[in-house]
Each structure stands twice: as structure tokens, then as C-alpha cells.
Amino acid sequence: MTVTPTSPMPELDRPFDGLPSNAVTDFDRDGFAHLRNVLTPETIAAYEPTVTSEVIRLNTQDLPLAERDTYGKAFLQVTNLWEHNEKVKELVFSRRLARSAAELLGVDAVRLYHDQALYKEPSGGITPWHADQYYWPLSSDRCLTVWLPLQATPMEMGPLAFARGSHHFAYGRDLPISDESEARLKETVREQNFEDVVEPFALGDASFHRGWTFHHAGPNRAAVPRRVMTVIYMDADIRVAEPTNDHQAADRGWMPGTAIGQVPDTPLNPVLYDARR
């Protein structure tokens, strides 16, 4: 299934022309890419209020910040906003983002896995070191997360940071995000001399990181939330794998009716970009 562009913001359906000529090679080597000016401030301004209002409406976290565990202090997390709001769907289904994801992964087509809004509140804590693909029951590593801040994100707000080249390192792939993953992967990054790449994001920047790339974020020391929208893309030909933990078993719910070994071609996992069509 290929989705027909529906966005009233033409930029979301136009190809991104800012991908450097060496971007694919660098992405394969580093496991991440921080790209500048992926979207204009005007486009972000058109969608941020809707995303934020949906996060407020759908959020189920009601504990005071001080009473939460480390993961709970990291951010408010709301998943698959696109199912609840047509305007958010325009952003999540952007061919511009999906095409960039396919090009970086070196695949012809990508489909949606899911989206997540991640809002780090003022005084919100660290995001512990982890790798996203621990949670994903997928047959290959041809998948990535787009991390799209909805405001400029200086260092004091806790921008996402990456361990360069860590996606080639198998140790630590059995760790869910936790105090343990923070301690063990922080030590691993130091021992393996992985560069911890942390830098501010200008409004309109976005990062793309592989499923097995170790990453983390600092606390939010600003007086306003760090508002971020993420979209997870996977190779359109990827197959559902046998879950290796309870989280992966639960994640199969985002690919309804798809048996192990099948391609998750479902209404929740449409093809968002296909270079062959």
C-alpha cells in the first residue's frame, strides 16, 4: 500500500534537498545523522500547537515529577498520535521525512512502524542510554527513528546525543531503558571509546538514528518543555521476528494480524515512500 500525499503544507511532500553527498556512507558508519533545515520554522509552527494539544489531551501520566522513576522523569510519552488527529497524521505521513529515511537506510521503500511524542518537562530528568531496537520484533536492522524537535533545542534542554558507531557493537542489546542501561552503557561507551556526540538543534533540524545506535539525553534545565515528535520507519520488506522479550511481544500489537515471518502490511503500517512507484 502506498499512501497518497494529503498534506496542505507542500514542503512535507517535497524531497529534502539538503542530504549531503556522503550522508548515506556516514550514516552507515556513524549510526545517526543530524540534518539541518529539514523543515522550515513555518511548517513546524503549523503543526506544533496541534501535537502539543494532543499530548496534553492523551497523556496518562498524572504522578508528580518527584514521585516518578527515572524513565517516568525522562519525558511524557504518547504513541501513535496520527490515529487520533488528522493534522498530526499529515506530519507523520510526510513523504519528505519518509524519503530521507529510505535514502539513509539504503532501501527502496519504507513503511510506518509507529510515532511517539516525547515531551521532557521543565526539570525533567535524563533519558538513560539505550537502543530502540531492543523493543522492536523486526527481522533486520533496516529501521530508524526520526527525532524532530518542535522548538530550538539548546544544550540546557537535553538534546538527543549519540554514541558514534555503536550500532555495530552487539553488547548491551538486551537492556531496556532503565537505571541499569544508563550505568552499563555509559561505561561501555567510555570503554569502547565511542564518541558521545551531543549538540544543540536549531529549529527545523532533525536527527535520524539506527535502531541499534546507543543514545541518551540530558535533563531539561529550561523553564519550558522540550517538545519532540518522533517517527519510526522500517524497510517496507522487513518481516516480523520472533519476540526476544516481553516488550517486543507487546509491540506486535502495532502490526495487527501479522504472523511471525510476514511483512507487516497493515493499515497501521502503510508504505509512506516507495522509489519504485
Side-chain angles (χ1 to χ4, degrees):
M1 164 186 349
T2 300
V3 174
T4 302
T6 58
S7 169
M9 300 292 291
E11 180 182 53
L12 291 180
D13 293 324
R14 289 198 304 265
F16 174 57
D17 60 8
L19 207 62
S21 59
N22 59 338
V24 176
T25 301
D26 288 353
F27 187 72
D28 185 63
R29 179 196 66 211
D30 297 339
F32 72 94
H34 178 163
L35 302 180
R36 311 291 182 180
N37 303 311
V38 175
L39 296 177
T40 62
E42 291 76 16
T43 295
I44 293 176
Y47 289 92
E48 180 277 323
T50 302
V51 174
T52 297
S53 66
E54 288 298 287
V55 169
I56 293 170
R57 182 175 73 87
L58 297 169
N59 168 56
T60 59
Q61 175 62 267
D62 55 7
L63 283 176
L65 196 62
E67 296 180 18
R68 304 177 204 166
D69 61 13
T70 300
Y71 186 81
K73 291 176 181 176
F75 39 64
L76 301 178
Q77 181 178 21
V78 182
T79 301
N80 275 349
L81 269 70
W82 74 266
E83 293 186 88
H84 300 275
N85 187 284
E86 284 296 315
K87 190 167 183 64
V88 177
K89 181 178 178 180
E90 295 167 6
L91 179 62
V92 172
F93 279 43
S94 162
R95 283 173 53 85
R96 185 182 187 87
L97 297 177
R99 176 174 178 162
S100 296
E103 291 174 345
L104 288 170
L105 287 172
V107 299
D108 290 325
V110 292
R111 67 177 70 244
L112 178 67
Y113 188 19
H114 61 277
D115 71 55
Q116 291 182 335
L118 303 174
Y119 275 43
K120 192 181 288 287
E121 299 154 277
S123 299
I126 65 165
T127 303
W129 280 103
H130 66 287
D132 295 341
Q133 200 159 345
Y134 166 84
Y135 294 92
W136 304 342
L138 302 175
S139 62
S140 83
D141 64 353
R142 295 289 134 177
C143 43
L144 61 74
T145 300
V146 178
W147 196 82
L148 177 67
L150 302 179
Q151 76 290 301
T153 308
M155 298 296 286
E156 68 173 351
M157 295 187 81
L160 202 60
F162 310 93
R164 192 188 303 276
S166 58
H167 61 304
H168 295 304
F169 190 64
Y171 175 82
R173 294 184 176 184
D174 59 340
L175 295 173
I177 184 170
S178 61
D179 291 329
E180 182 183 7
S181 72
E182 169 68 11
R184 288 175 57 183
L185 295 182
K186 184 176 182 178
E187 180 66 13
T188 296
V189 168
R190 184 190 66 79
E191 289 178 346
Q192 298 299 318
N193 293 315
F194 292 129
E195 181 184 2
D196 182 8
V197 183
V198 54
E199 54 191 2
F201 282 64
L203 186 62
D205 289 0
S207 63
F208 296 66
H209 65 269
R210 297 281 289 267
W212 286 122
T213 301
F214 297 151
H215 56 285
H216 71 127
N220 182 10
R221 297 188 175 93
V224 296
R226 187 208 69 181
R227 296 154 289 160
V228 173
M229 190 65 188
T230 69
V231 186
I232 296 92
Y233 299 98
M234 52 188 173
D235 179 2
D237 295 325
I238 211 164
R239 296 177 183 274
V240 176
E242 183 76 46
T244 60
N245 57 60
D246 290 343
H247 298 285
Q248 290 189 9
D251 259 25
R252 288 194 60 202
W254 287 327
M255 301 174 286
T258 305
I260 293 169
Q262 290 184 336
V263 173
D265 187 13
T266 83
L268 291 182
N269 310 116
V271 173
L272 299 184
Y273 171 75
D274 192 336
R276 300 163 296 193
R277 295 174 184 257

